[in-house]
Amino acid sequence: MEGLKESEANLVVYLHPSMAKCVNDAILRELSSLLFTYSETFDGVVLAYDPNVRSNLAKILPGIHPYLGVRLKAKLLLFSPKPNMLLEGEVVKISRQSIHAVILGFSSAVIADEDIRDEFKYKVKHGKEVFVSRHHKKHKIKVGTMIRFLVKSFDEEILHISGSLVAVHTGCARWLDANLEEWSQADSTTRKRKGRDEKEQKTPDDKMMANREMPSLKKDDRIKKLKKKRKEHT
Amino acid sequence: MGIELAPQQTVLHDMDELSFTDSELDYHVRNALKAAVQGDCDSYNQLVAVIHHKERLVPEEVALLMTCLKALTGAVSCMHIVHHRSLLAAIFGMSLWNYGTDVMDALVELLISLAASSGQYVDLCLEMLVTNFMPPSSSSTYFIELLKQPRGIDKKHQVLDRVHSTFQDIANLVPLSPLRLEKIVRDRMPNIYTKEPFIVMYVENMLTLESGAAGKLVGGSMLVAIMDRLIDLDVEIAWDDILQDDFSKGIFDMELEDLEGFSDHVQQDGDELTRESLMQRFFGGNLVAEKLDSLLVLTFEHLESCSGSGRLIQVFETLLQSFQKTVLTAYKSKFAQFVMFYACSLDPENCGKMFVSTLVNIFVSGVSPAWRMSAVAYLASYLSRAKFVAPSFVAATLESLVNWCFDYCNKQDGDINPRAHKIFYSGCQAIMYVLCFRMRSIISVPRLRSQLLLMRIEDILRHPLKPLEVCLPSIVEEFLRLAKRNRIFSVPDTFVDYGMLESELSRAFGGIERLDTFFPFDPYLLRKSDRFIRPNFVYWSMVRNSYYEDDEDESASDEDIAEAGISIADDISVDEGDAHLDEFDYALDKMSITPRDSSTKFGGRIQGFVQMPSKIRPSTSPESL
């Protein structure tokens, strides 16, 4: 799954003087206030941290409260989904108009029906809602399935992802892994270009852009690019 | 029923028999939304009008509203927060209280769908649901009346059940929503001036959240916010509301429980005063007290249910932290601390011991002197008034207090100095206060009696720092009397300030906050919540009667003592029976000092007030007694 990265950060944690006795606890508490919030400096959501305080010395800030500035190096696990990244998550709700999933247990994702490719048909079987592929009967998406999807956008404040199941390599993760040949073949037969196999990674993006609606006004320039590429294809 | 969707005609006015499928309706609504983005707002405005319509809906209008809501639920991906501002405002302005269950269900489905579709709607949906904790303020009087009837209670359950299950549904789809919810609930908490039914309902919802599925995430801050509100209400109740200066005989001659309806030893000396009327006098019409009373009832009931489901210890830990931050530091909190008292009564072994050890820690190694004195006052009052605390535990805690005081005075050379050693004096006063209440129960167990005798109490009391002169005279006097009666300590008989509640020196060590007369767990005065506290509370009369009834019969029957709830070991009664002369002298003295009949007055130095200070009161000069 993309979107996760580990980074090393040089941090300075400022502690109130009353914490001077229990510096380690105070540092952990400060770091834990970063969890599950998007941070611009790190460009991601902090999921885990591993601090390493190098020295015993801390600088004292002058002021009314002499805060202690403790320098440390921390290893951080960051989650920063960018558009067109491939993510996996567990489906929690299916409706005719949308699929809702939860990524890594904390981030919510929604895939609206215009972003679900026509291959998938909405059905209600035995009282349960499910999306079934028209081409491969075994390829099903229902509550509890791990799906793989592409990121359209990411709301940093509430950590909400808007996703897309338009590309061929998206769908139920387990089925995709088990049936590699079936869907990758289907991919090449629909394309009429040569040398597509090596560029498999890129083509889903192009195809997706061609099919995707552009609701946001910011993406005007992308629309122009899109039209150019369409002309190239045909 | 159906809706005619001819493009030229308005949706509202024509109700022909044509029926449309869900998908057609979806399509129509989506088109209306998309058209509004382009600028063509006709169908869109009709939609908004349907949503706004809420007064006295006939069945067709209800059906129309429901179908619109359902169609919108499917079309949330087309909604735009700026272009569809008025529609969103209309939706979020709806109140579940105004509609039937069908519309409620459709509305919450829409809210869930909105919240899950995009991060920007999550806060708005949660805020709308939190606003629905209470009936809409525009028709508050109607709802306040409605809620007194059974159908109003039904309505309340219908709304609140849906609100809380919607929180759960949203949390399933948006896992971080409880964190946002916590902040929203705290920010929107009504202030203390809100009408009582509303603030009570809001707190009820907060407690439901605490015990609900999201309890682990939001419960702690709910409890802290509630405790803060209780303290806010508590400090609004002025001391004047509690104490009435027109009681010429000094209200401290009797505790409220001495009056009708409590014990067999009540003196019915013609006073028409009942407990009810005294309560009425103190708090009748005091809205703040009534609000506090209702909220405390809710809190106590909640603690009871936590205890039942085995969660009391975690809840108590949160309460204890909140106590240290707000209750302990509040200036003489009057009733909010009884939350701790009640919680301890539900689980004396764990919660009670945690409470005591925290207080001892603050006293022994705390930083701020005022908080240390406050902590020891809480400790003394708790150990004395809590019926459920075992004598052995009291003895053990006393020992740690005594040891601290002993170590302290061993390091001191100087003479009496109330201000400099105020922490020490408060510790001594605490020891004496606890012994006044608990001496009997401690010495009745031989092991504890010897433990008590081994404690260095006499050394402390005889030290040049002279705690006997500095501590509150009424307490010192009672303590000395009991010590002499039970032949526990050998302490000086003569005491200068007989009959005084307080003295110059005690005022000096108590400081400006009068921490010398601070007895936090004094008898509870709020009417509705009293039933929770009363069964676990030790009233002074219960204890006093056990001490003084011995004098009445030479044979020292156990009956009287048992009535007061304290058992006596045989050897003590034998001792008392032997010392006839002392008894006789003492009985004479006793009559003049602790008049059973509160109307008896003796002139001169005996003011008729020498009972244990049983009320929280601010500083008054002795003349006013």
Side-chain angles (χ1 to χ4, degrees), chain A residues 97 100 108 110 157-160, chain B residues 26 74 116-117 119 173 176 180:
Chain A
Q97 292 90 10
H100 299 275
S108 53
V110 68
E157 210 184 305
I158 192 80
L159 307 184
H160 185 96
Chain B
D26 269 355
S117 70
L173 298 174
L176 291 178
R180 318 288 296 196

Side-chain angles (χ1 to χ4, degrees), chain B residues 15 30 102 114 131 151 272 314 323 380 384 389 419 434 490 499 505 536 603 612 615 619:
Chain B
M15 302 286 179
R30 278 177 191 241
D102 294 335
L114 269 174
T131 315
R151 67 186 177 100
E272 291 307 318
Q314 292 96 295
F323 173 84
S384 314
V389 173
R419 259 177 269 276
V434 173
S490 62
L505 294 169
N536 302 305
M612 286 302 299
K615 281 291 180 296
S619 160

Side-chain angles (χ1 to χ4, degrees), chain A residues 9-16 19 22-34 42 49 51-53 57-61 67-74:
Chain A
N10 291 325
L11 303 172
V12 182
V13 178
Y14 292 104
L15 304 176
H16 191 270
M19 309 283 182
C22 45
V23 173
N24 280 323
D25 284 343
I27 291 177
L28 290 175
R29 212 189 330 223
E30 281 297 316
L31 289 175
S32 70
S33 69
L34 288 175
F42 301 130
Y49 52 81
N52 184 0
V53 184
L57 300 173
K59 270 201 171 165
I60 301 182
L61 277 184
Y67 273 72
L68 311 164
V70 181
R71 287 188 175 280
L72 55 104
K73 266 190 187 314

Side-chain angles (χ1 to χ4, degrees), chain A residues 118-136:
Chain A
D118 290 334
E119 182 192 333
F120 286 107
K121 185 173 156 185
Y122 173 79
K123 271 190 187 163
V124 180
K125 269 194 173 162
H126 311 299
K128 297 214 175 112
E129 290 154 306
V130 68
F131 274 90
V132 187
S133 162
R134 287 178 226 265
H135 308 318
H136 314 280

Side-chain angles (χ1 to χ4, degrees), chain B residues 101-143:
Chain B
T101 49
D102 294 335
V103 177
M104 280 192 219
D105 286 332
L107 182 54
V108 299
E109 279 299 319
L110 175 56
L111 288 175
I112 295 171
S113 185
L114 269 174
S117 70
S118 168
Q120 42 195 348
Y121 299 124
V122 173
D123 278 347
L124 293 167
C125 293
L126 293 177
E127 276 174 9
M128 187 222 171
L129 288 167
V130 171
T131 315
N132 275 278
F133 278 172
M134 304 178 292
S137 50
S138 52
S139 30
S140 58
T141 34
Y142 166 73
F143 277 108

Side-chain angles (χ1 to χ4, degrees), chain A:
Chain A
M1 185 171 108
E2 300 167 34
L4 286 171
K5 62 183 181 192
E6 203 182 296
S7 38
E8 277 254 350
N10 291 325
L11 303 172
V12 182
V13 178
Y14 292 104
L15 304 176
H16 191 270
S18 60
M19 309 283 182
K21 270 193 201 167
C22 45
V23 173
N24 280 323
D25 284 343
I27 291 177
L28 290 175
R29 212 189 330 223
E30 281 297 316
L31 289 175
S32 70
S33 69
L34 288 175
L35 289 176
F36 298 117
T37 45
Y38 181 81
S39 161
E40 293 238 334
T41 24
F42 301 130
D43 187 31
V45 180
V46 180
L47 295 184
Y49 52 81
D50 184 15
N52 184 0
V53 184
R54 286 296 177 78
S55 89
N56 279 347
L57 300 173
K59 270 201 171 165
I60 301 182
L61 277 184
I64 298 174
H65 299 291
Y67 273 72
L68 311 164
V70 181
R71 287 188 175 280
L72 55 104
K73 266 190 187 314
K75 272 204 278 212
L76 300 172
L77 181 64
L78 296 168
F79 177 62
S80 58
K82 296 273 181 287
N84 300 334
M85 278 191 180
L86 198 61
L87 295 181
E88 280 185 23
E90 185 184 337
V91 175
V92 285
K93 182 175 174 194
I94 295 202
S95 72
R96 188 184 290 276
Q97 292 90 10
S98 59
I99 297 177
H100 299 275
V102 168
I103 321 295
L104 294 175
F106 73 91
S107 176
S108 53
V110 68
I111 301 164
D113 67 351
E114 49 261 20
D115 296 317
I116 303 175
R117 57 183 185 267
D118 290 334
E119 182 192 333
F120 286 107
K121 185 173 156 185
Y122 173 79
K123 271 190 187 163
V124 180
K125 269 194 173 162
H126 311 299
K128 297 214 175 112
E129 290 154 306
V130 68
F131 274 90
V132 187
S133 162
R134 287 178 226 265
H135 308 318
H136 314 280
K137 291 290 177 211
K138 298 272 182 177
H139 191 174
K140 290 190 212 161
I141 298 179
K142 51 186 183 195
V143 173
T145 315
M146 287 296 282
I147 53 161
R148 212 174 273 163
F149 61 93
L150 282 172
V151 176
K152 268 173 68 177
S153 67
F154 179 56
D155 180 334
E156 290 152 7
E157 210 184 305
I158 192 80
L159 307 184
H160 185 96
I161 299 174
S162 178
S164 147
L165 281 179
V166 167
V168 178
H169 64 296
T170 56
C172 169
R174 198 186 299 181
W175 187 89
L176 290 170
D177 289 337
N179 300 287
L180 209 61
E181 314 85 34
E182 293 202 26
W183 59 265
S184 54
Q185 262 179 26
D187 193 28
S188 59
T189 51
T190 51
R191 258 159 262 288
K192 289 163 189 175
R193 259 200 271 183
K194 292 180 192 173
R196 184 48 76 173
D197 291 348
E198 334 66 286
K199 293 183 197 166
E200 195 137 18
Q201 282 307 310
K202 276 195 198 163
T203 50
D205 302 349
D206 289 345
K207 190 179 182 202
M208 180 186 64
M209 282 207 289
N211 286 339
R212 206 199 309 174
E213 292 180 272
M214 297 292 176
S216 160
L217 298 167
K218 279 188 216 169
K219 298 186 183 166
D220 276 337
D221 40 342
R222 278 249 210 137
I223 294 175
K224 287 181 193 156
K225 268 197 212 166
L226 187 67
K227 289 182 180 164
K228 256 171 86 182
K229 285 207 169 148
R230 272 212 190 118
K231 285 183 188 159
E232 283 175 16
H233 291 183
T234 47

